[in-house]
Structures are given as structure tokens and as C-alpha cells.
Amino acid sequence: DGGITQSPKYLFRKEGQNVTLSCEQNLNHDAMYWYRQDPGQGLRLIYYSQIVNDFQKGDIAEGYSVSREKKESFPLTVTSAQKNPTAFYLCASSPAQGGGYTDTQYFGPGTRLTVL
Amino acid sequence: AQKVTQAQTEISVVEKEDVTLDCVYETRDTTYYLFWYKQPPSGELVFLIRRNSFDEQNEISGRYSWNFQKSTSSFNFTITASQVVDSAVYFCALSEAKGGANSKLTFGKGITLSVRP
């Protein structure tokens, strides 16, 4: 079945460590996104990528980094510079047809990161 | 700048009651898209509906219905005869029509719906 997978589901890290969250999709979507969700808050955009080898900062990119070497993969690294990394992280993808057309974003199951 | 307001934070109903979730949005664009997503306890966001700004027709899908009113900048969601499985957090979101991944979503803070047996 087509879909978006994120791993791991739960992740624990010590302060000062970098950690990478995985996001893979087999929907053949061009665009991929990373969001952060805090309790009682909506989703906030961290980074997004329209095509391979291209990505743009979202609203809260500081302390995060991404890469887009393959169409189906968009890993997110939470660096030690991120001051409050404990949150729920959601990856999404969309066909991104362009031309002023807004596609629907489809989401993965999420990774819950806890910094100890 | 875009903004989505979901003034209700938590709603609790008894099974079989009807419930309406409110969404008010702000945008300067004439072309935009509105979305509703459901987030069950498992965490994954499930897409429910997308509506563009030129289509003000109400939509019904089973027990779900949506009322889009540009005059009041609202896109409300009604669940008829609610069920326990409807318990979730519901998000309303807005996107400008800039094309591709540049059409970023702005989310409301979500409404936690609890349906009691």
C-alpha cells in the first residue's frame, strides 16, 4: 500500500546530542514537509522541499536541518542547537503540481521525541 | 498574513449528539484553500476535506458536513449522530494558492472532541 512511514515512533535523546528522524514515502509525491506539534498547539512548519536537492526553511527552522537526496526520503536532523526539541514531529507529502494549484498534504504517523 | 482560529479548545458530547466544530480564517488572498484534518489518539493526521475559495457549496459525506461561508470567513464542520470513534483532535487549516510546496498550510490550534458512550 502507498503511504508515508516515519521511524522510530518514539525517540529519546540526551541533551547535546543530534538525532535524525526518518521519513519515507512511496506515493511518488514531489513535495515533502516537516511539522512540529506541541501540546495544545497546531502544527508549525519546520522545512519543506519541492523537489530533490532543494528545500526551504519554514517558520521554525532554527536548530533543525534536512536533506533531500532522493524523491522518497526527507530526513530531519534535530541538532543540539534546538533549545526545546521535545515534541511530536510529523512528516507530510503532496503531489505539488504547481501552477497555483494547492495540493492536499498527506501525513505520516509521527515521531515523538523526548529529550532527557 | 494568514490566520486560522479555532476558538473551541475542548468539546464533550454524549454519543448520538450532533456537534459543530467552528473555524474562522483570515487571509488577504482571493484564492485560497481550506482543509479539515482529524488526529486520532494514534497521532497521524487524517485528511477529511479540501475546499477552494470559489466553491461555497456545502458538502456532506456520511455523518460529516461542512458549511463554508465567505461572508463570515468561516468553514464549520458538523458531525451528526456522533460516535465514540469520532473522539479526536480536529484541525482546520488554510493555504494560499501559490502552487506546489509553496502553498504552505497554516493550522488552527485544534479542537479536542470527546464523545462519551
Side-chain angles (χ1 to χ4, degrees), chain B residues 13-67:
Chain B
V13 300
V14 176
E15 210 169 16
K16 297 184 183 177
E17 282 186 26
D18 298 347
V19 58
T20 296
L21 310 181
D22 297 334
C23 174
V24 174
Y25 62 92
E26 296 176 28
T27 180
R28 294 182 178 180
D29 290 337
T30 55
T31 303
Y32 51 89
Y33 292 81
L34 294 161
F35 300 81
W36 275 94
Y37 285 88
K38 173 183 179 180
Q39 186 177 42
S42 60
E44 180 174 350
L45 259 71
V46 178
F47 165 71
L48 296 177
I49 190 171
R50 180 182 73 207
R51 177 53 53 89
N52 74 54
S53 53
F54 296 109
D55 183 1
E56 288 193 70
Q57 283 191 0
N58 293 333
E59 181 155 340
I60 298 174
S61 177
R63 295 184 298 107
Y64 295 171
S65 62
W66 290 269
N67 184 340

Side-chain angles (χ1 to χ4, degrees), chain A residues 42-59:
Chain A
L43 280 67
R44 293 182 291 168
L45 183 65
I46 304 172
Y47 268 98
Y48 64 100
S49 168
Q50 177 104 10
I51 56 173
V52 173
N53 293 323
D54 180 70
F55 46 84
Q56 306 294 328
K57 292 182 179 180
D59 300 319

Side-chain angles (χ1 to χ4, degrees), chain A residues 27-33 35 49-51 92-107, chain B residues 31-37 47-52 93-107:
Chain A
L27 300 168
N28 200 33
H29 286 171
D30 286 310
M32 297 187 74
Y33 312 78
Y35 291 89
S49 168
Q50 177 104 10
I51 56 173
S93 70
S94 71
Q97 296 180 42
Y101 179 79
T102 294
D103 291 293
T104 297
Q105 293 183 24
Y106 296 93
F107 286 80
Chain B
T31 303
Y32 51 89
Y33 292 81
L34 294 161
F35 300 81
W36 275 94
Y37 285 88
F47 165 71
L48 296 177
I49 190 171
R50 180 182 73 207
R51 177 53 53 89
N52 74 54
L94 167 68
S95 175
E96 299 167 341
K98 290 186 176 177
N102 293 316
S103 300
K104 294 179 284 184
L105 285 174
T106 298
F107 284 85

Side-chain angles (χ1 to χ4, degrees), chain B residues 7 9-10 12 14 28 30-31 34 39-41 50 56 69 76 78 83 86 88-89 92 94 105 107 109 114-115:
Chain B
T9 53
E10 295 184 18
S12 182
V14 176
R28 294 182 178 180
T30 55
T31 303
L34 294 161
Q39 186 177 42
R50 180 182 73 207
E56 288 193 70
Q69 292 195 344
N76 297 337
T78 297
Q83 299 177 2
D86 295 328
V89 181
C92 181
L94 167 68
L105 285 174
F107 284 85
K109 293 189 175 182
S114 298
V115 181

Side-chain angles (χ1 to χ4, degrees), chain A residues 22-43:
Chain A
S22 167
C23 177
E24 305 274 335
Q25 54 98 0
N26 61 3
L27 300 168
N28 200 33
H29 286 171
D30 286 310
M32 297 187 74
Y33 312 78
W34 273 106
Y35 291 89
R36 169 181 172 139
Q37 184 181 15
D38 294 286
Q41 301 294 316
L43 280 67

